[in-house]
Amino acid sequence: MKKLFLLIAVVMLVFVSCSDSDDNGDTGNTGNTGDTGDTGDTGDTGNTGDTGDTGNTGNTGNTGNTGNTGNTGNTGNTGNSGENEDDDTEENDEDDVIDPLLEKFVGTWAKKIILKSVSHAPLAKNVPSVTTRYILSQIKVENGELVADRKGGIMCRTDNRTGDSALNKGVVGFNEPNSKFNTIYHFWKPKDIPGQESIPDAEVWEEGGDIFFRMNKEWELRGANMEDIVNEEMPSNDGDPRIFDHDGDGNPAFTITFAGFVSGDIYFVQRLTAIYSGKLISEGKIEGNVEWTDEQYTHQATENLTLRGQKTTDTNTEKSVFQFIRVDDSMDCAQLIEQRDTIFDIVDPNP
């Protein structure tokens, strides 16, 4: 009987154990569903569903895998957009690079300008004149454009020969010690004129294998003040309030002298414009023609009757020429005048 009782007890124990194992196995399977990882398998290995619960902890581990999305933190490498800043800096550096074409014109230039005209005054008709100017100009590049300035804001020298007969021949005293013709004048560059702010001092371009050069219209005024240099009428009488003692010598307007058959001081107002058009002949040499205008009024205080009154001038662009030579930046006016016969080789087209 004892043996029978023990056998029955064992069988019942085995039955209960098997029943519990099936239930716990189902729980384990649930753990497998929750856990895509092998940890769920470990849950199968453990006793009942408790290990399966550990498998659920494995699910939390999966959440940790989601944390791998933290690798998107590598997107933080977009911080490398800082490289774009370097690119911008490089682009700015490129902006500072001078166009090789413009660079050919950067430096100090000695200028010889020959102006041919025929003038008409009330008592003197058809008087030919050739005026030669010497100027030092500094050219540089600013904001991608050529900028030209007269060195020291002055001209170095102005020579003149006037007339073609004994009655009208003479020399204008532009260079006399007391003359301020070369150093005192009102001056406008192209962009100084309202509405022309975008016009550069000078322009260059290539065409057909040549490099062309143009200095845009500049304006000079002596002996008077004008608010609108382009559109105002020239003075035509002594009472014009714009006329003033420009050179401060005690005489009206601006004083120059004339020495010839007719001699004396001239008190005059002058408005002059000039455009220089040519091309680069060789490295450091520009040649071309000058399109220019010259308007003058001579004050009645001028002693000689033949020199008084309004003067009109016909200019000749074909026989008005220029040559610019690049020179050392240290050159001054005294050196230019001393060396003018060796610096320039342009031929004067006017006999």
Side-chain angles (χ1 to χ4, degrees):
M1 284 295 289
K2 281 181 181 181
K3 288 181 182 178
L4 181 57
F5 179 80
L6 291 170
L7 179 61
I8 291 170
V10 168
V11 169
M12 289 179 68
L13 178 62
V14 169
F15 178 78
V16 172
S17 299
C18 289
S19 298
D20 289 340
S21 297
D22 287 343
D23 291 339
N24 293 336
D26 290 340
T27 307
N29 289 340
T30 305
N32 290 339
T33 307
D35 182 15
T36 53
D38 293 337
T39 312
D41 295 337
T42 308
D44 292 335
T45 316
N47 288 330
T48 69
D50 292 337
T51 309
D53 292 338
T54 308
N56 290 338
T57 308
N59 290 341
T60 309
N62 289 342
T63 310
N65 290 339
T66 313
N68 289 340
T69 28
N71 291 338
T72 22
N74 292 338
T75 329
N77 291 337
T78 17
N80 292 337
S81 57
E83 292 174 2
N84 294 336
E85 292 177 3
D86 292 337
D87 293 342
D88 291 341
T89 303
E90 289 175 7
E91 288 176 8
N92 290 336
D93 290 342
E94 289 176 3
D95 290 341
D96 292 337
V97 175
I98 297 177
D99 183 330
L101 182 59
L102 299 184
E103 193 168 17
K104 292 178 179 292
F105 297 88
V106 173
T108 300
W109 295 79
K111 301 180 176 181
K112 182 175 183 177
I113 303 158
I114 302 172
L115 304 174
K116 169 68 175 179
S117 66
V118 175
S119 297
H120 316 280
L123 297 178
K125 307 291 186 183
N126 302 316
V127 180
S129 178
V130 177
T131 299
T132 303
R133 295 178 152 196
Y134 297 94
I135 299 171
L136 279 173
S137 182
Q138 293 171 310
I139 297 180
K140 58 186 176 181
V141 176
E142 287 183 356
N143 300 320
E145 294 180 349
L146 291 178
V147 175
D149 291 297
R150 293 179 179 182
K151 194 171 183 179
I154 64 172
M155 296 187 293
C156 295
R157 184 181 177 93
T158 303
D159 294 324
N160 171 271
R161 59 184 192 269
T162 294
D164 55 3
S165 70
L167 293 179
N168 59 25
K169 275 188 177 181
V171 175
V172 179
F174 293 126
N175 304 306
E176 289 185 353
N178 293 328
S179 175
K180 298 180 177 64
F181 183 86
N182 295 311
T183 57
I184 294 180
Y185 47 84
H186 298 314
F187 185 77
W188 292 259
K189 296 201 293 184
K191 61 178 57 180
D192 295 330
I193 307 299
Q196 297 186 175
E197 290 82 2
S198 63
I199 298 179
D201 296 354
E203 300 173 89
V204 296
W205 66 95
E206 290 188 87
E207 186 178 320
D210 289 324
I211 298 176
F212 289 88
F213 172 87
R214 173 186 169 96
M215 285 193 72
N216 290 309
K217 184 181 283 188
E218 58 187 31
W219 299 73
E220 289 178 20
L221 177 64
R222 294 172 176 81
N225 290 311
M226 291 187 186
E227 293 184 4
D228 185 349
I229 185 64
V230 176
N231 297 308
E232 286 188 32
E233 295 289 333
M234 276 287 291
S236 58
N237 63 77
D238 296 353
D240 194 309
R242 295 172 297 169
I243 298 175
F244 75 109
D245 181 6
H246 197 162
D247 51 2
D249 66 351
N251 298 303
F254 203 99
T255 304
I256 56 176
T257 63
F258 186 81
F261 180 77
V262 174
S263 296
D265 289 345
I266 303 173
Y267 309 131
F268 82 131
V269 176
Q270 180 192 45
R271 176 167 59 184
L272 184 144
T273 71
I275 300 172
Y276 304 90
S277 300
K279 61 183 180 180
L280 194 68
I281 301 301
S282 60
E283 194 68 27
K285 179 187 286 189
I286 310 168
E287 289 184 3
N289 293 86
V290 188
E291 179 184 344
W292 64 293
T293 64
D294 185 10
E295 301 170 271
Q296 295 183 25
Y297 169 74
T298 302
H299 198 279
Q300 298 299 307
T302 298
E303 292 183 8
N304 197 292
L305 292 175
T306 62
L307 301 175
R308 294 178 188 171
Q310 202 80 30
K311 184 174 86 170
T312 59
T313 301
D314 300 324
T315 58
N316 187 325
T317 298
E318 184 181 349
K319 292 192 174 184
S320 297
V321 297
F322 72 88
Q323 184 180 76
F324 298 171
I325 303 292
R326 190 161 52 200
V327 295
D328 191 272
D329 290 340
S330 64
M331 178 170 279
D332 59 21
C333 278
Q335 293 170 322
L336 170 58
I337 300 310
E338 182 181 355
Q339 301 173 36
R340 67 186 184 278
D341 292 334
T342 56
I343 291 175
F344 304 104
D345 59 10
I346 189 170
V347 177
D348 186 344
N350 306 287

